[in-house]
C-alpha cells in the first residue's frame, strides 16, 4: 500500500468519516481556508490513481468512495513507523512515547485496561 501525502490523508479522513461524497461535500468538511475546488478534485484523482478511491456517477456528479479501510491504512502506517524508527519493536515505541509525553505507569495500566475491555 502506498503512503499518502498530508493533503491526500486529509481528504481520505473526510471520505472515511462521510463514507462517500462528491468534491463539494468533501470541500464542505475541510477547514478554512478551504482549497480551490480544482485542487481537491486533483487530489481525489491522485487518490484514485493510487487505488485508495473509487467513484460512481450520479448524473454529471462523481461520488467518491474509499476503497481502502481506515484501519488497514492505520495499521500499515503504524507498522511502517515501528519498523522505521523503533527497529520493529512495539515495546520500544511505547517506551519512547511514555517518556516523551511523561505518561505514568498508572496511566499506562489504565490504557491497558481500556484496551482489554474493548477486546472483550
Amino acid at each position: 500500500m502506498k503512503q499518502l501525502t498530508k493533503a491526500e490523508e486529509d481528504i481520505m479522513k473526510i471520505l472515511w468519516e462521510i463514507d462517500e461524497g462528491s468534491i463539494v461535500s468533501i470541500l464542505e468538511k475541510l477547514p478554512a481556508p478551504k482549497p480551490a475546488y480544482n485542487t481537491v478534485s486533483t487530489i481525489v484523482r491522485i487518490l484514485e490513481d493510487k487505488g485508495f478511491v473509487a467513484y460512481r456517477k450520479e448524473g454529471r456528479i462523481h461520488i467518491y468512495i474509499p476503497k481502502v479501510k481506515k484501519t488497514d491504512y492505520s495499521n500499515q502506517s503504524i507498522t511502517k513507523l515501528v519498523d522505521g524508527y523503533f527497529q520493529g519493536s512495539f515495546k520500544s515505541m511505547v517506551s519512547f512515547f511514555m517518556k516523551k509525553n511523561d505518561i505514568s505507569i498508572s496511566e499506562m495500566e489504565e490504557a491497558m485496561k481500556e484496551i482489554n475491555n474493548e477486546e472483550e
Side-chain angles (χ1 to χ4, degrees), residues 10-100:
D10 289 344
I11 299 296
M12 283 305 300
K13 285 178 183 176
I14 291 169
L15 281 172
W16 285 321
E17 177 187 330
I18 64 176
D19 292 323
E20 61 180 39
S22 65
I23 300 298
V24 170
S25 61
I26 294 168
L27 260 169
E28 289 172 354
K29 292 281 190 177
L30 286 168
K34 295 186 185 294
Y37 179 97
N38 288 343
T39 302
V40 175
S41 180
T42 298
I43 294 169
V44 170
R45 276 188 263 120
I46 291 168
L47 289 167
E48 187 181 351
D49 290 342
K50 287 184 173 183
F52 279 80
V53 171
Y55 73 91
R56 73 172 186 276
K57 288 187 97 167
E58 286 186 7
R60 294 176 51 202
I61 298 173
H62 287 92
I63 303 297
Y64 296 95
I65 306 118
K67 286 176 64 176
V68 174
K69 293 179 184 176
K70 183 178 182 179
T71 54
D72 293 342
Y73 183 73
S74 297
N75 287 337
Q76 182 252 342
S77 296
I78 293 292
T79 300
K80 186 173 181 180
L81 174 73
V82 172
D83 290 346
Y85 294 96
F86 301 100
Q87 296 73 44
S89 171
F90 185 74
K91 180 180 161 187
S92 293
M93 183 186 76
V94 171
S95 176
F96 171 81
F97 283 110
M98 282 184 69
K99 291 173 189 170
K100 181 79 173 154

